[in-house]
């Protein structure tokens, strides 16, 4: 059954689509976009230059993405589940929310936002756990035309404050707390700490979930439930979706770069909608009524694109899981798949590796026969994990899609299409239609041969190209479009094999990928340097069996505290407080000096070798100011 006219159903059709998308991008994407609901059609499909950069898709068109995610499904999918929610505690009841119910809840909460002063273009920060109300709040922001900025529940008060200030967000939606495995995270109290330095925040809406005690500040904080009751009392009026320009911002999502300050990546309404839907339907080969289980958190781009917008705009059933893969035991994912007869599982290599470590016990006696497609995202997947996933979860019957993309790209750029284009262990393989990857050498020359490694760039815009970094367009230009003129530079390295298949080798900049989370080394260094006794620090990554990369910090410490293990604990606590627990260093080595060039630049290459344990192969140290420091560092390696 062909339910999506733009769903690619053969290898030949893939090549045809790709060629057409390159020869005639406007014709290609105009056709795809014609299957969506627009309030007003576009005047021009695409206008762009990467020098400014300026990228405009579907100019002149008007829409509201929630009409595509909700209203247009009411005719034929009103009673189909839109969201299945599985709570952290398996003893608690799951929730099924149909498209009709989700529509009603989003409409209701749109009124709540409006009643609390939220207007089109306002920035609204969402700091919640993985509950349906997060998706409802996201969609309600989109319906009223506010720009949402979701912050992952693991970030600290300081990180939240930085983001609130950068976005000048006047509104916050949060919960009393969130459950994650055995933990109960007091979200509202973290928000209260953040708001000490954010007096511009005028309203905090708090949803009751964990029943953790919270302090509600008069005039600023209101309960979600009370506000919803007011709308009910008013007879639950309809809420016509705000008219948005295709290029109006839909959301800001902060992500780490090589500098210390996270960047607010901005995506816009039209192109993002078309591309996340197109890639969802094609990469996973979604079929009507299938259940799609993406295990990411909505606080990251994967959750935005493949839990919320991609699936819902395609009328799919999306499964939202509050907990973690190992609670109450390492069989949790498999229980969920068995319980709901999940068809598509989309998860991260780090989750697969951590579950592998528990052996096959937790997989046995679980009926996984409903699975049709498996996916991975977030970091390179090693062959061992790929094979384990293929054999023990897919039972050799489910294509694995290895999807490479980024917060900045909005949707998947390189991936096989499940069961349609070939897969190859540890390869993301071929570009999506509309995507033209190329490899460059250090000097900026394109490498056209195969069986080569290079820096991965993209030649022309796809519909969900990032448009800017919030409040600082030049930062967007210098970060992504200035390294190689007229190209988008991904920050990743890649290998291209004899078939033209791409294998992502990892970041080539100072960004770490720890358990699929992007963390800038400079960010961690800044946090470590906040500790009173720290003089200077340098942070590098090293290979870690489960996390992919671990964080290794070299720290010059001059404090008076004698006990080294206590110093390490204090530094770790500082990083947790400044960024959040996800950025805690795995190893901290106290050193008396760092390897620097005569001009004072830290030679990270050397530190990376030490962290990786390549002690015999340190390389040239003759240009160092004090080569002796290297020997000391090698001796003290952890
Ligand atoms: C890495 C997540 C290898 C890559 C969607 C990229 C991957 C960064 C893959 C973006 C993959 C993502 N294979 N590496 N399939 N997918 N990456 O912004 O280094 O959180 O630049 O977006 O993750 O991380 P982000």
């Amino acid at each position: 059954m062909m339910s999506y006219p733009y769903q690619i159903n053969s290898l030949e059709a893939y090549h045809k689509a790709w060629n057409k998308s390159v020869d005639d991008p406007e014709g290609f994407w105009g056709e795809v976009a014609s299957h969506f609901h627009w309030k007003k059609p576009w005047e021009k499909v695409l206008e762009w230059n990467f020098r400014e950069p300026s990228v405009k898709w579907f100019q002149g068109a008007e829409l509201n993405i929630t009409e595509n995610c909700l209203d247009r499904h009411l005719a034929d999918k009103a009673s189909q589940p839109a969201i299945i929610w599985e709570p952290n505690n398996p003893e608690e009841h799951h929730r099924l929310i149909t498209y009709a119910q989700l529509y009603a809840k989003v409409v209701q909460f749109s009124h709540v936002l409006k009643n609390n002063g939220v207007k089109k273009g306002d920035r609204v920060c969402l700091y919640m756990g993985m509950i349906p109300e997060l998706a409802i709040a996201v969609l309600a922001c989109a319906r009223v035309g506010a720009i949402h900025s979701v912050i992952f529940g693991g970030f600290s008060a300081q990180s939240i404050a930085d983001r609130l200030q950068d976005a000048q967000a006047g509104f916050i939606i949060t919960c009393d707390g969130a459950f994650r495995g055995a933990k109960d995270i007091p979200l509202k109290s973290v928000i209260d700490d953040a708001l000490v330095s954010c007096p511009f925040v005028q309203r905090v809406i708090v949803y009751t979930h964990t029943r953790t005690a919270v302090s509600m500040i008069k005039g600023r904080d209101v309960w979600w439930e009370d506000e919803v009751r007011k709308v009910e009392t008013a007879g639950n009026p309809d809420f016509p979706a705000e008219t948005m320009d295709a290029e109006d911002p839909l959301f800001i999502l902060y992500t780490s770069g090589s500098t210390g300050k996270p960047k607010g990546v901005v995506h816009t309404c039209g192109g993002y909608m078309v591309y996340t839907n197109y890639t969802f339907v094609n990469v996973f080969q979604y079929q009507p009524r299938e259940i799609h289980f993406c295990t990411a958190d909505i606080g990251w781009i994967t959750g935005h694109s493949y839990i919320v917008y991609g699936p819902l705009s395609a009328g799919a059933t999306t499964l939202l899981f509050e907990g973690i893969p190992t609670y109450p035991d390492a069989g949790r994912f498999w229980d969920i798949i068995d319980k709901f007869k999940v068809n598509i599982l989309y998860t991260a290599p780090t989750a697969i590796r951590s579950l592998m470590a528990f052996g096959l016990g937790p997989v046995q006696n679980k009926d996984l026969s409903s699975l049709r497609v498996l996916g991975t995202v977030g970091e390179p997947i090693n062959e061992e994990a790929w094979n384990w996933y293929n054999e023990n979860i897919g039972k050799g019957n489910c294509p694995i899609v290895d999807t490479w993309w980024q917060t900045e790209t909005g949707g998947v750029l390189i991936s096989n299409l499940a069961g349609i284009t070939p897969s190859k262990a540890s390869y993301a393989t071929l570009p999506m239609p509309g995507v033209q990857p190329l490899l460059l050498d250090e000097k900026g020359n394109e490498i056209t041969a195969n069986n080569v490694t290079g820096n991965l760039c993209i030649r022309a815009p796809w519909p969900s190209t990032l448009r800017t970094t919030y409040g600082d367009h030049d930062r967007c230009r210098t970060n992504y479009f200035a390294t190689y003129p007229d190209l988008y530079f991904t920050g990743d390295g890649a290998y291209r094999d004899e078939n033209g298949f791409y294998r992502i080798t990892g970041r080539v900049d100072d960004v770490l990928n720890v358990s699929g989370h992007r963390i800038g080394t400079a960010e961690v260094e800044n946090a470590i340097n906040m500790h009173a006794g720290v003089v200077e620090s340098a942070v590098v990554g090293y290979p870690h069996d489960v996390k992919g990369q671990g964080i290794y910090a070299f720290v010059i410490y001059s404090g008076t505290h004698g006990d080294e293990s206590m110093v390490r604990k204090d530094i770790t606590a500082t990083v947790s407080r400044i960024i959040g627990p996800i950025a805690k260093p795995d190893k901290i080595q106290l050193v008396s000096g760092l390897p620097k060039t005569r001009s004072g630049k830290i030679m990270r290459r050397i530190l990376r070798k030490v962290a990786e344990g390549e002690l015999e192969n340190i390389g040239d140290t003759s240009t160092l100011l004090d080569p002796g420091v290297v020997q000391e560092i090698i001796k003290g390696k952890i």
Side-chain angles (χ1 to χ4, degrees):
M1 179 172 138
M2 265 290 269
S3 54
Y4 305 98
Y6 44 88
Q7 194 167 45
I8 294 168
N9 54 15
S10 69
L11 182 58
E12 194 194 353
Y14 160 74
H15 286 299
K16 225 172 118 190
W18 192 85
N19 287 333
K20 160 117 183 158
S21 76
V22 171
D23 296 342
D24 177 18
E26 296 198 56
F28 180 84
W29 288 111
E31 206 295 308
V32 174
S34 72
H35 300 285
F36 291 76
H37 176 73
W38 303 86
K39 289 174 188 275
K40 183 170 156 252
W42 51 89
E43 281 139 30
K44 180 106 183 77
V45 174
L46 171 63
E47 223 164 9
W48 67 286
N49 76 69
F50 273 174
R51 259 149 295 132
E52 290 182 43
S54 162
V55 174
K56 294 188 174 128
W57 285 91
F58 311 114
Q59 254 189 104
E62 290 173 354
L63 77 156
N64 188 290
I65 196 167
T66 69
E67 288 187 332
N68 286 273
C69 291
L70 301 169
D71 309 45
R72 72 165 169 161
H73 304 313
L74 294 179
D76 60 340
K77 298 191 180 74
S79 56
Q80 178 198 307
I83 294 177
I84 299 175
W85 179 69
E86 171 67 16
N88 180 61
N89 177 358
E91 312 279 286
E92 219 180 281
H93 255 298
H94 65 267
R95 286 165 67 185
L96 292 184
I97 302 175
T98 65
Y99 270 97
Q101 289 164 337
L102 185 61
Y103 169 83
K105 283 179 185 296
V106 171
V107 162
Q108 212 172 40
F109 200 67
S110 299
H111 280 291
V112 169
L113 291 176
K114 189 172 163 213
N115 294 345
N116 280 279
V118 177
K119 296 180 305 299
K120 180 176 179 175
D122 286 343
R123 276 79 57 219
V124 180
C125 158
L126 312 189
Y127 186 67
M128 304 171 82
M130 281 285 284
I131 54 175
E133 281 65 27
L134 172 52
I136 291 164
V138 161
L139 292 165
C141 285
R143 196 162 184 92
V144 308
I147 303 170
H148 58 76
S149 173
V150 184
I151 301 181
F152 174 64
F155 279 115
S156 68
Q158 180 64 53
S159 292
I160 296 168
D162 291 345
R163 286 159 173 76
L164 290 173
Q165 282 159 5
D166 189 79
Q168 284 295 302
F171 305 88
I172 294 180
I173 304 167
T174 188
C175 302
D176 49 356
F179 296 117
R180 266 181 80 76
K183 288 195 206 123
D184 169 348
I185 302 151
L187 298 179
K188 171 62 164 65
S189 131
V190 179
I191 288 290
D192 289 337
D193 290 345
L195 294 197
V196 171
S197 56
C198 301
F200 50 85
V201 171
Q202 59 195 80
R203 184 70 80 237
V204 182
I205 303 176
V206 186
Y207 181 78
T208 312
H209 181 54
T210 54
R211 305 201 167 268
T212 310
V214 297
S215 70
M216 296 291 280
I217 305 299
K218 197 179 292 163
R220 189 193 72 186
D221 302 351
V222 297
W223 292 107
W224 172 301
E225 296 78 3
D226 290 347
E227 296 304 296
V228 163
R229 213 162 298 125
K230 288 181 199 161
V231 182
E232 281 168 357
T233 310
N236 275 327
D238 195 14
F239 194 103
E242 180 70 41
T243 298
M244 305 298 284
D245 192 277
E247 281 298 333
D248 278 339
L250 174 63
F251 66 84
I252 305 171
L253 187 57
Y254 284 86
T255 190
S256 294
S258 30
T259 54
K261 205 173 141 240
K263 297 172 286 220
V265 168
V266 175
H267 284 290
T268 55
C269 298
Y272 177 82
M273 168 182 78
V274 170
Y275 196 74
T276 52
N277 177 296
Y278 182 82
T279 48
F280 171 72
V281 161
N282 280 297
V283 169
F284 301 105
Q285 289 289 305
Y286 183 81
Q287 303 298 318
R289 284 180 295 280
E290 281 190 331
I291 296 174
H292 173 76
F293 177 17
C294 168
T295 70
D297 194 288
I298 295 180
W300 308 112
I301 191 69
T302 306
H304 281 60
S305 301
Y306 300 109
I307 294 179
V308 181
Y309 288 114
L312 295 178
S313 68
T317 298
T318 184
L319 198 155
L320 200 96
F321 172 44
E322 181 185 26
I324 58 172
T326 49
Y327 179 85
D329 60 53
R332 195 66 203 282
F333 278 0
W334 325 130
D335 284 329
I336 294 174
I337 291 164
D338 191 343
K339 175 173 174 187
F340 296 107
K341 305 296 167 227
V342 167
N343 306 104
I344 304 169
L345 173 66
Y346 189 30
T347 192
T350 188
I352 298 168
R353 287 191 301 263
S354 78
L355 294 175
M356 269 168 79
F358 290 90
L360 289 178
V363 188
Q364 273 151 12
N365 305 320
K366 309 287 161 73
D367 180 6
L368 304 183
S369 61
S370 57
L371 284 174
R372 188 180 59 76
V373 173
L374 303 176
T376 74
V377 60
E379 48 175 325
I381 178 161
N382 47 312
E383 276 191 51
E384 194 192 352
W386 196 98
N387 289 329
W388 188 88
Y389 199 29
N390 183 41
E391 284 157 28
N392 301 303
I393 306 308
K395 318 286 182 194
N397 287 323
C398 303
I400 298 179
V401 289
D402 177 354
T403 65
W404 171 82
W405 57 296
Q406 311 176 299
T407 304
E408 294 85 344
T409 71
V412 173
L413 292 198
I414 304 183
S415 172
N416 50 317
L417 310 182
I420 302 290
T421 64
S423 67
K424 180 173 175 182
S426 83
Y427 279 73
T429 72
L430 296 170
M432 294 300 296
V435 177
Q436 301 178 56
L438 66 159
L439 299 179
L440 280 94
D441 65 21
E442 295 298 332
K443 294 196 195 84
N445 300 314
E446 183 178 353
I447 314 170
T448 51
N450 283 343
N451 298 315
V452 288
T453 305
N455 286 349
L456 179 63
C457 291
I458 313 287
R459 205 185 293 281
W462 56 99
S464 61
T465 307
L466 88 158
R467 300 301 198 265
T468 189
T469 45
Y470 193 79
D472 192 350
H473 191 62
D474 202 50
R475 195 155 176 228
C476 174
R477 188 184 63 76
T478 53
N479 259 286
Y480 306 105
F481 298 94
T483 315
Y484 302 112
D486 290 318
L487 298 175
Y488 168 76
F489 176 41
T490 65
D492 279 317
Y495 175 81
R496 187 171 53 218
D497 77 359
E498 63 281 3
N499 301 311
F501 289 4
Y502 288 88
R503 183 167 71 89
I504 309 304
T505 50
R507 303 288 305 194
V508 294
D509 54 8
D510 291 322
V511 175
L512 305 180
N513 193 326
V514 181
S515 299
H517 300 154
R518 264 168 77 167
I519 299 168
T521 53
E523 247 177 288
V524 183
E525 288 164 7
N526 289 350
I528 292 174
N529 298 347
M530 298 286 279
H531 185 76
V534 170
V535 179
E536 197 179 4
S537 64
V539 165
V540 296
Y542 69 97
H544 187 289
D545 284 348
V546 173
K547 298 178 173 184
Q549 269 188 310
I551 302 178
Y552 196 123
F554 298 88
V555 178
I556 305 178
Y557 185 78
S558 75
T560 47
H561 216 303
D563 179 355
E564 275 208 15
S565 81
M566 206 57 215
V567 170
R568 288 200 186 90
K569 277 193 195 137
D570 288 353
I571 291 174
T572 305
T574 309
V575 174
S576 227
R577 159 111 6 213
I578 303 293
I579 305 177
I582 55 170
K584 282 196 285 203
D586 298 275
K587 295 181 179 181
I588 298 173
Q589 179 179 348
L590 302 185
V591 296
S592 65
L594 292 167
K596 286 190 180 170
T597 60
R598 291 198 181 87
S599 59
K601 216 175 142 242
I602 297 175
M603 295 271 279
R604 286 164 186 286
R605 176 174 58 77
I606 292 174
L607 295 175
R608 241 176 261 132
K609 292 272 187 207
V610 175
E612 287 165 6
E614 293 227 14
L615 304 180
E616 270 79 63
N617 194 9
I618 282 300
D620 185 14
T621 57
S622 62
T623 56
L624 291 182
L625 191 60
D626 174 12
V629 99
V630 177
Q631 287 317 313
E632 182 216 304
I633 289 176
I634 289 177
K635 254 192 237 126
K637 181 189 159 22
I638 299 172

